[in-house]
Amino acid sequence: MSSARPRRGGLSPKARVAISFVLAAAAATMGLTGTTPTAQAAPSTPKTPAAPMAPTQARPMVTGAGASFPNLEIAQWRADVARPPYNLQINYNPAGSTFGRDQYRIGLADFGQSDIPFPPYELPALNATARKDFVYVPVSAGAIGFLFNVVGANGQQITDLKLTQPTVCRMFTEPGMAWNDPDIVATNPGVALPAEQIRPVVRSDSSGTSYVLSEYCIATAPDVWRAFIGRVQATGTTADDEFMAGRPSSSWPQLGGLVVGFASEGVVGIVANKSAGRSTISYLEAGYSVKVGLPVAKVRNGSGTFTPPLPANSTVALGYAVPQANGTFLLRYNGPDPRAYFPSTYSYTIAQTTGFDPAKGAVLATYLYYAVTKGQERAEPLLYSRLSSVLVNLALDKISQIPGAGPRPTDLAGAPPPPQVLGGSPAGVAAAGAAKGTAGGAKAPGAGTASQAGAGPGGADAAADPAAAAAVTGGEAVATDQGYDLGLSDADVKDLAKKVGSTMAASTTTGPDLGEVATYLLIGFLLVGAGSFLASGVTTSWQRR
């Protein structure tokens, strides 16, 4: 059996490794690695922190790479632990889940980050290395939102859009679809939908978010997905073996008519661009909607309800996840609870458990202990879901297996119970059972699908209006964006939170305010420029026809 399943017309494993080196170097140059952002405010110390660390100058720097889905949270956590009492240097390159797994396997990153476990076809290569023993640590949970930038036929920005599951999947698989398609018109009466063609923006990198969306479409719109496979075959478009076999894939086929962006920042840079982003829609973590001041669609769930991608809604959706023996979870996309938002997902840190430098292990464990306890207080302001108490305990058990890890914290920082969802939730029992399962190393059976657990910020009775309640807390994402200090006072932050929260709750937007603009210029201008170049300077085969 080969070490990696070949991609038709794609890159060989050796080429992928070579590109990994180039991406790592480029990321270091751009500041994705090698920099530690400053936090908006120093968090309070957990009641039972990790064991005391050595003096700052003796602490090694720890590097990670992988998924961009959790990067808004990871950037904030990095900023938090860079301050006293932690004083840690954690560098992270959010270049995609597959990149993270590759970097972990070949030893170029101290830890990997992936929204899915190692697929079965990657395990032989991993088992041949010294890094075959590891754990999956769940650290991040939330909704995949559909960010759109559409001007209506009346010249006004469209801010409220409702989409069914098949319609969402058609948008990213069917070139030539227009915004006034009958299926979109049917669920949006009274909206002045334009006759312009939809310009779907997909990931150019091998992405866990792409994997989850493909799995979602296979589960909820199988006819649409089969048509997509046929279209790819008919046009000779490059696709990997997993896609051609009808299984979820991290690599979205670059079919003509699709616009591509690298990682979440590249994608959002295209959609948010005033000119190049016109008539676009993309899929990414919901927190970017607050960051760039653009709306996200409400998506129909299994009960027929259209829900927004807010923390309360993704929490309920993740209550339907099913456990696996290695501590990961399988997503389900048709739960009947009317509050649920699909697709929602989790992201895992891949941490080595044998043969890892204990000095680095102490730093990594301290960072992760913070991330899954006190760091979870950062989740909802960034529009992620909090990990439930059961899942936090599972994560702490995994972290304590890292060489050099300090004592396991006992304070869960107010972690909520698992969600109670309509039709019964496997999440609570699932996570508890998974904690007694295998460590999650390479020899454990891979789930082969998006591996997520139910997290829970509130449960069934969280709020009478969960969308509005979650949206109000979502405003702080602007002030704490990626951990950069915007110089805002506590009063400014609260005022901004109310302003943006009200906007999210009403599903309307008046464009980015000064805080958002400042943040976006500080950390996104390079990728916006790259996005504009891709969107305006690259003509696909479909566009040439």
Side-chain angles (χ1 to χ4, degrees), residues 54-80:
T56 302
Q57 61 271 23
R59 300 176 189 175
M61 179 174 63
V62 168
T63 61
S68 60
F69 174 82
N71 190 47
L72 294 176
E73 275 191 302
I74 289 175
Q76 183 65 65
W77 296 333
R78 289 173 52 219
D80 292 347

Side-chain angles (χ1 to χ4, degrees), residues 14-376:
K14 289 183 179 179
R16 284 169 60 188
V17 171
I19 290 175
S20 295
F21 280 99
V22 175
L23 287 173
T29 301
M30 295 174 63
L32 291 174
T33 62
T35 60
T36 302
T38 56
Q40 167 66 23
S44 58
T45 307
K47 295 178 182 178
T48 310
M53 298 287 293
T56 302
Q57 61 271 23
R59 300 176 189 175
M61 179 174 63
V62 168
T63 61
S68 60
F69 174 82
N71 190 47
L72 294 176
E73 275 191 302
I74 289 175
Q76 183 65 65
W77 296 333
R78 289 173 52 219
D80 292 347
V81 300
R83 290 177 175 267
Y86 306 100
N87 300 313
L88 305 178
Q89 281 188 288
I90 307 293
N91 289 338
Y92 185 66
N93 184 353
S97 291
T98 300
F99 177 76
R101 296 193 304 273
D102 284 346
Q103 293 283 285
Y104 170 84
R105 174 178 56 81
I106 62 181
L108 291 183
D110 296 315
F111 67 92
Q113 187 72 35
S114 181
D115 304 333
I116 64 173
F118 281 97
Y121 55 83
E122 291 182 358
L123 293 180
L126 179 60
N127 277 326
T129 73
R131 311 208 75 182
K132 65 182 184 300
D133 297 318
F134 65 92
V135 287
Y136 292 112
V137 182
V139 295
S140 183
I144 295 176
F146 298 98
L147 186 77
F148 63 94
N149 185 352
V150 185
V151 175
N154 58 2
Q156 301 298 310
Q157 193 83 19
I158 294 177
T159 58
D160 192 5
L161 188 67
K162 298 181 179 68
L163 302 173
T164 66
Q165 302 95 318
T167 300
V168 163
C169 296
R170 284 184 59 208
M171 285 178 154
F172 295 98
T173 63
E174 186 179 315
M177 188 176 177
W179 281 106
N180 64 347
D181 183 274
D183 286 349
I184 304 177
V185 172
T187 55
N188 295 277
V191 178
L193 293 162
E196 296 180 16
Q197 287 191 355
I198 297 170
R199 300 176 61 234
V201 184
V202 302
R203 294 278 290 271
S204 63
D205 54 299
S206 191
S207 156
T209 310
S210 293
Y211 185 104
V212 173
L213 180 57
S214 67
E215 186 178 59
Y216 169 80
C217 289
I218 290 169
T220 63
D223 291 344
V224 173
W225 198 254
R226 281 192 291 269
F228 185 33
I229 295 174
R231 201 170 289 119
V232 167
Q233 288 176 322
T235 58
T237 303
T238 298
D240 65 21
D241 289 350
E242 295 300 294
F243 173 84
M244 297 308 297
R247 293 186 290 268
S249 173
S250 297
S251 298
W252 202 271
Q254 308 298 299
L255 193 66
L258 303 181
V259 182
V260 297
F262 182 80
S264 295
E265 284 283 356
V267 164
V268 77
I270 295 172
V271 178
N273 186 277
K274 185 175 181 180
S275 57
R278 185 182 176 101
S279 292
T280 56
I281 186 168
S282 192
Y283 55 93
L284 71 171
E285 50 273 36
Y288 275 101
S289 62
V290 177
K291 177 179 177 181
V292 300
L294 284 174
V296 283
K298 296 183 180 75
V299 180
R300 190 178 68 184
N301 60 24
S303 75
T305 304
F306 292 88
T307 55
L310 294 171
N313 307 97
S314 56
T315 292
V316 173
L318 292 169
Y320 291 101
V322 179
Q324 300 299 289
N326 60 4
T328 65
F329 289 75
L330 301 182
L331 290 177
R332 292 293 180 260
Y333 299 103
N334 288 302
D337 197 302
R339 300 166 300 168
Y341 175 89
F342 302 101
S344 295
T345 188
Y346 268 59
S347 191
Y348 291 85
T349 296
I350 301 168
Q352 192 174 351
T353 55
T354 60
F356 190 55
D357 179 0
K360 285 192 171 185
V363 173
L364 176 58
T366 302
Y367 156 72
L368 290 174
Y369 279 152
Y370 173 83
V372 301
T373 55
K374 189 68 176 175
Q376 289 298 304

